[in-house]
Amino acid sequence: MAIRSLLDLQLDDRHYGDNCLFNGYLEDYLSLEDSDLDPILKDAFTTINHNYQNVKICVGLKSDISQDAISNQIIRYKDIFKLHGKALVYPYILYTTVEEEDRALLVVPYEPYSYLYAKGFYYCMTEPGSLFIDCKNEIVAISTQDPSRIVTAFNNLFEKKAGALQRAIDHEHFTNYEELQAQALKAAEEQVEQAKTELLEVEDRTDKIYRYIINWFLLKKVLYVQYMVNKEILNTVHEGNVKKQRNQAKLNADQIQFLSYSDMYRLQKEEEVEENPE
C-alpha cells in the first residue's frame, strides 16, 4: 500500500481515533488558531500549501517501538522498552500525490542535532516489520532552520529518487560517517548534561525522561543503521564481511552516552543529597 493510503488510515480525535494529533489537509491545519506551529515550519508549510493542491499533514503520529526489529535487538537499549504505550511520535509528515506518485516528507522541528533525530525517525518508520516498510522509497526526512530548504525538499520529492534526495540532504549536515558519528556522540553528551539540570526543575519528570530516552535511542539507531547501509564501508573496511560490519555498527551505537531510566528518576539537587545522605 502506498504511503498516502497508509497515512489516510491514521485517525485523529476528530474521526474518533487516537493515532495522531491531527491528520487532514494542510490548509485546514494552518488555519487552526490553537496550533503551536514553529514559525520556521509555518513559513515552509504555508509556501508548500500555496504551491500544491491537496497536500495533507499528519501531526504527532504515534508508533510502537518494535522489539522484533533486528537493529533494536542488536542495539540492546533496554530503557526504550520501559516506555509505555506508543512512545515514538513522528512530529510532522507532509504527504500528497502528484501525477500518480505518492510522496511524504517527514519534518522534525529544528534544534541542535535535530537532523540526526530526523534520520533516526526515518529508520524507525521504514524498518522491517513496520507499517511503512514498503514505502521507504516514498519518504524523505528533513530538519533545518531554513524554511526554503524544506520547500525545496518537498519540490524535489517528485523530481528525484528518495534515496538520492536523502543523501543530498545528508551532505548538508555531514560529509562522511565519521562526521555523523562525532555529531551523534556530542549530541548524546549534551543531552546527558541537560538532563542533569532540567529534570531537577520539574515536579513530574516522566514526559521529559521519555523524551531523553527517545533521543538517545534515535542516536543509537542512526549510528547503527547508517553504518550498516554503507556499502563502501562494508567493502573497503570490512572486506565484504557483513558480520564484522554488524559488530562494528553495534560498537558504534554502544558509544552513545546516556543516563539510565532509574538514575533519571533518582537525580537530586546537591542540597537534597546533603540533607539525605545514603
Side-chain angles (χ1 to χ4, degrees):
M1 190 179 293
I3 185 68
R4 177 163 185 165
S5 298
L6 288 171
L7 286 171
D8 276 339
L9 295 174
Q10 309 309 309
L11 304 179
D12 57 29
D13 59 7
R14 300 175 307 154
H15 302 92
Y16 309 102
D18 63 352
N19 300 110
C20 54
L21 297 176
F22 180 94
N23 192 17
Y25 287 103
L26 179 58
E27 181 178 9
D28 295 337
Y29 182 69
L30 290 171
S31 69
L32 294 177
E33 293 183 359
D34 59 349
S35 171
D36 58 352
L37 190 59
D38 179 279
I40 292 172
L41 300 185
K42 186 172 184 178
D43 186 350
F45 293 176
T46 299
T47 301
I48 291 169
N49 183 65
H50 180 266
N51 293 343
Y52 292 85
Q53 294 182 341
N54 301 323
V55 176
K56 290 187 172 183
I57 185 170
C58 184
V59 181
L61 177 63
K62 303 173 187 176
S63 174
D64 291 314
I65 298 165
S66 174
Q67 295 194 45
D68 296 326
I70 298 299
S71 61
N72 294 346
Q73 293 177 15
I74 293 174
I75 289 171
R76 289 183 60 80
Y77 181 38
K78 296 180 181 179
D79 282 350
I80 196 68
F81 299 115
K82 295 177 182 177
L83 308 187
H84 300 296
K86 295 183 176 181
L88 195 66
V89 180
Y90 300 103
Y92 302 94
I93 306 172
L94 298 173
Y95 63 104
T96 194
T97 303
V98 173
E99 295 181 357
E100 300 184 356
E101 294 289 337
D102 287 359
R103 295 290 186 270
L105 187 66
L106 170 61
V107 184
V108 174
Y110 178 78
E111 61 178 286
Y113 309 108
S114 55
Y115 183 64
L116 301 183
Y117 302 129
K119 291 279 291 185
F121 276 123
Y122 170 81
Y123 285 138
C124 290
M125 190 174 182
T126 59
E127 67 190 1
S130 71
L131 178 63
F132 302 100
I133 177 59
D134 294 326
C135 306
K136 62 168 48 181
N137 294 322
E138 299 173 342
I139 306 169
V140 169
I142 192 169
S143 181
T144 174
Q145 58 184 333
D146 184 350
S148 66
R149 288 188 176 183
I150 298 174
V151 175
T152 299
F154 194 84
N155 293 340
N156 286 336
L157 287 174
F158 308 98
E159 303 294 333
K160 300 179 179 180
K161 290 185 177 180
L165 177 55
Q166 193 71 72
R167 288 190 293 274
I169 298 173
D170 281 355
H171 290 158
E172 295 176 3
H173 298 273
F174 48 84
T175 58
N176 53 41
Y177 182 85
E178 289 72 25
E179 285 189 14
L180 164 68
Q181 185 178 28
Q183 290 180 27
L185 296 179
K186 184 65 174 176
E189 179 184 352
E190 290 184 7
Q191 290 282 290
V192 168
E193 295 307 313
Q194 183 178 327
K196 289 178 180 178
T197 57
E198 185 181 44
L199 293 175
L200 297 176
E201 306 303 323
V202 293
E203 185 173 343
D204 185 352
R205 301 179 179 183
T206 302
D207 288 346
K208 290 188 180 298
I209 286 175
Y210 273 39
R211 189 195 73 197
Y212 282 117
I213 290 175
I214 289 290
N215 284 351
W216 288 318
F217 168 70
L218 292 175
L219 293 172
K220 283 176 171 286
K221 188 85 167 182
V222 166
L223 284 190
Y224 179 84
V225 180
Q226 188 83 1
Y227 196 84
M228 288 301 299
V229 299
N230 192 314
K231 293 183 179 179
E232 182 179 355
I233 288 176
L234 171 63
N235 294 322
T236 61
V237 178
H238 301 291
E239 300 177 333
N241 189 318
V242 175
K243 185 176 180 180
K244 290 182 178 180
Q245 184 185 28
R246 184 178 298 114
N247 181 64
Q248 185 60 54
K250 181 186 184 305
L251 293 175
N252 294 346
D254 288 346
Q255 291 180 334
I256 292 296
Q257 294 184 41
F258 62 91
L259 296 176
S260 73
Y261 186 93
S262 57
D263 283 347
M264 283 191 282
Y265 271 110
R266 289 199 295 261
L267 281 172
Q268 291 180 281
K269 294 181 180 179
E270 290 184 8
E271 57 266 29
E272 293 174 338
V273 174
E274 293 174 358
E275 293 174 3
N276 302 288
E278 293 184 359

